[in-house]
């Protein structure tokens, strides 16, 4: 049975700042708590290592769509099956909204429990909060330089 999650966060930072932080896939472990390592295989393909409650997972994912300052989409090609998209929305010159949508197939008891209890959504919210803090710090530093 497939599961999905949809989470969003409003950020006091321009879309360009939010995009710059998210577009470098190898930086995702700095704000996604469950992502331990991302290694580039080529320009569109990455090997991932995750550490989730009760399980470590590895998979290979490819970027399926990149529209600068609008969206980044991916899907797995090996290992855990999932696909996702992050979209960037301009709210004003100084604010943006980042939306994360993931479709996945929970495997095993822990992943099914996480989907049933919304632990996966809580983890996504935590990670988006960390992303928000980093983006707002980056926007503040950028504003101080201008």
């Amino acid at each position: 049975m497939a599961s999905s999650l949809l989470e969003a966060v409003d950020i006091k930072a321009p879309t360009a700042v939010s995009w710059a932080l998210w577009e470098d896939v190898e930086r995702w472990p700095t704000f996604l708590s469950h992502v331990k390592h991302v290694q580039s295989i080529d320009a569109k393909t990455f090997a991932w290592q995750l550490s989730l409650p009760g399980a470590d997972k590895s998979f290979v994912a490819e970027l399926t769509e990149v529209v600068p300052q609008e969206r980044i989409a991916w899907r797995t090609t090996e290992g855990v099956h999932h696909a996702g998209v992050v979209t960037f929305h301009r709210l004003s010159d100084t604010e943006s909204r980042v939306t994360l949508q993931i479709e996945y197939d929970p495997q095993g008891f822990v992943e099914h429990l996480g989907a049933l209890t919304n632990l996966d959504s809580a983890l996504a919210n935590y990670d988006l909060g960390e992303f928000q803090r980093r983006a707002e710090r980056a926007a503040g530093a950028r504003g101080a330089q201008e």
Side-chain angles (χ1 to χ4, degrees), residues 3-17:
S3 290
S4 63
L5 64 90
L6 176 63
E7 302 295 336
V9 64
D10 290 350
I11 300 170
K12 292 182 175 94
T15 305
V17 171

Side-chain angles (χ1 to χ4, degrees), residues 7 33 41 57 102 108 119 134:
E7 302 295 336
S33 62
I41 295 171
K57 303 280 183 175
I102 298 177
L119 181 60
R134 289 178 182 271

Side-chain angles (χ1 to χ4, degrees), residues 14-15 25-27 36 39 42 50 53 55 58-60 75 92:
T15 305
V25 174
E26 292 183 359
R27 288 177 61 186
K36 295 305 167 200
Q39 181 180 353
D42 60 38
L50 304 181
S58 297
F59 62 88
V60 175
R75 69 175 179 85
S92 71

Side-chain angles (χ1 to χ4, degrees), residues 14-24 27 69 88 131 142:
T15 305
V17 171
S18 296
W19 171 263
L21 183 57
W22 202 290
E23 77 171 322
D24 182 358
R27 288 177 61 186
Q69 296 191 35
F88 301 83
F131 176 80
R142 180 177 158 185

